[in-house]
Amino acid sequence: MHDAKAIPFTRRKRWSKATLTPWIFLSPALLIIMIFVILPTIAGVVISFLRYDAISPVEFIGLQNYKLVFQDQLFYKSMWITFLFAFGSLLPTVFISLVLAVLLNQKWFPFVNLFRAVYFLPTVVSMVAVSFVWLWLFNPQLGPINPLLSAFGISAQQFLGDSSQALAILILINIWKSIGFNLVIYLAGLQGIDNSLYEAARIDGASPLQSFRFITWPMLTPVTFFVVAMLIINGFQVFDQINIMTGGGPARSTYAIVFYIYQKGFSETNFGYASVLAVMLFIVILVLTLAYHRINARLER
C-alpha cells in the first residue's frame, strides 16, 4: 500500500520542479533585460519630469518638459527627417531583399552559397566601420566616386556636404546594409513553403508570376510583417551613420531624432529634455507598430 500523503507530495514536487526549471534557465536573460532595458526605460520616464543636468540640484518640474517639446520646431524637423529616412529605406529594402531571396532560392542559380554569403556580409560588419568606409568613398577630394563621375562627364559633387544629397546617401547606405539580414529572413520563409503547392500550380498551368502572386507572397505575409516592423524600428533609431558621416549636417538636413536626443543629453547635458524626446520617440514607434499590426491583421482576414 502506498502512503496516501506521499502521492500529493510527489506530485507537488514534480509540479514545482517543472515550474521552476524554465525560470532558472530564463533568469540570466531576464536579469539582463531588467538591468539594461526595463530599469533604464523607467529611469528615463522619471527623468523626463525633472530638470536634471548632472550639475545643478535635481528639480521636479512636472509636465514642463513635455510642454516645451510641442513648441520645439527642431523636434518636428528631426522627426520629419527620421520619417524620411525610415520610410525612404523601407520599400527598396523589402523589394530588393525579396527579389534576391527568390533568386537565391532557385536550384538553378549558380554559386548560390557564395552569393548568399556575399549579400549577408555587410550585416555582420559594424555600422561604425561601414560608415567610415562610405565616408571615404563619398569624400569629394579623396574618394573614388568623383573621378568615376568625371569619366562620364558629370561634374564633381559635394555628396555629404550638400544638403540636397546627404540624406539620400544615408538612405542608400542603410538599404545596402539592411539587405543581407532581410534576405536571410525571406530565404527562411521561402524554404518553409511546401513545394507541393508550386507543383499543383504548375499542373494547373500557372505561370511563375502567378505562383508568386497567389502562393509565395501570401505565404510570406508573416515574414514581411516582421521585416517591415524591424525596418521601421531600426530606421527610427538611426544614429551611428549620422554621428560619424554628417554630424547632423549640412544645415541640419540629416538631424534625426536620436541624434537630437544625443545632442541634448550629452552635448548640452539637458538630460530631462533628452528623456522627453526619447519618450516621444518611443510613443511614435509604438503607435506606428500597433497601426501596422492592425492594418496587417485586417488584410489577413
Side-chain angles (χ1 to χ4, degrees), residues 72-145:
D72 186 355
Q73 295 303 313
L74 188 53
F75 165 71
Y76 293 111
K77 181 177 181 178
S78 63
M79 284 302 303
W80 174 244
I81 291 170
T82 307
F83 266 92
L84 291 177
F85 179 87
F87 288 97
S89 306
L90 180 62
L91 290 179
T93 303
V94 171
F95 177 77
I96 297 171
S97 300
L98 180 57
V99 170
L100 290 174
V102 171
L103 287 174
L104 295 178
N105 195 47
Q106 306 302 316
K107 295 180 180 179
W108 53 262
F109 197 90
F111 306 108
V112 62
N113 291 328
L114 174 63
F115 278 100
R116 289 178 183 178
V118 168
Y119 282 116
F120 187 72
L121 188 60
T123 304
V124 299
V125 180
S126 167
M127 178 56 80
V128 175
V130 166
S131 298
F132 277 111
V133 171
W134 282 98
L135 188 62
W136 169 72
L137 290 173
F138 282 107
N139 188 296
Q141 287 78 37
L142 304 176
I145 297 180

Side-chain angles (χ1 to χ4, degrees), residues 20-59:
L20 288 175
T21 301
W23 288 106
I24 292 172
F25 283 104
L26 286 172
S27 57
L30 293 175
L31 185 63
I32 291 172
I33 293 172
M34 176 66 71
I35 294 173
F36 294 103
V37 178
I38 297 176
L39 291 180
T41 301
I42 296 172
V45 174
V46 172
I47 293 172
S48 69
F49 296 101
L50 308 175
R51 181 179 285 115
Y52 174 51
D53 59 6
I55 299 174
S56 307
V58 177
E59 180 184 356

Side-chain angles (χ1 to χ4, degrees), residues 206-283:
S207 65
L209 186 60
Q210 288 174 323
S211 296
F212 177 83
R213 179 183 176 186
F214 294 107
I215 299 175
T216 306
W217 182 245
M219 295 293 287
L220 287 178
T221 299
V223 178
T224 302
F225 173 79
F226 172 79
V227 167
V228 171
M230 293 305 298
L231 284 172
I232 292 173
I233 293 171
N234 292 334
F236 272 81
Q237 295 178 337
V238 60
F239 173 74
D240 293 338
Q241 291 172 261
I242 293 172
N243 189 43
I244 293 170
M245 299 182 70
T246 65
R252 287 180 171 169
S253 60
T254 60
Y255 211 85
I257 184 64
V258 175
F259 186 77
Y260 187 26
I261 294 170
Y262 171 80
Q263 290 295 314
K264 279 292 180 182
F266 294 97
S267 295
E268 302 178 20
T269 64
N270 191 347
F271 295 108
Y273 193 73
S275 298
V276 171
L277 294 173
V279 170
M280 298 302 292
L281 174 61
F282 169 77
I283 292 172

Side-chain angles (χ1 to χ4, degrees), residues 147-164:
L148 184 63
L149 292 177
S150 64
F152 291 94
I154 302 174
S155 60
Q157 304 292 315
Q158 290 302 309
F159 299 121
L160 296 170
D162 188 340
S163 59
S164 64

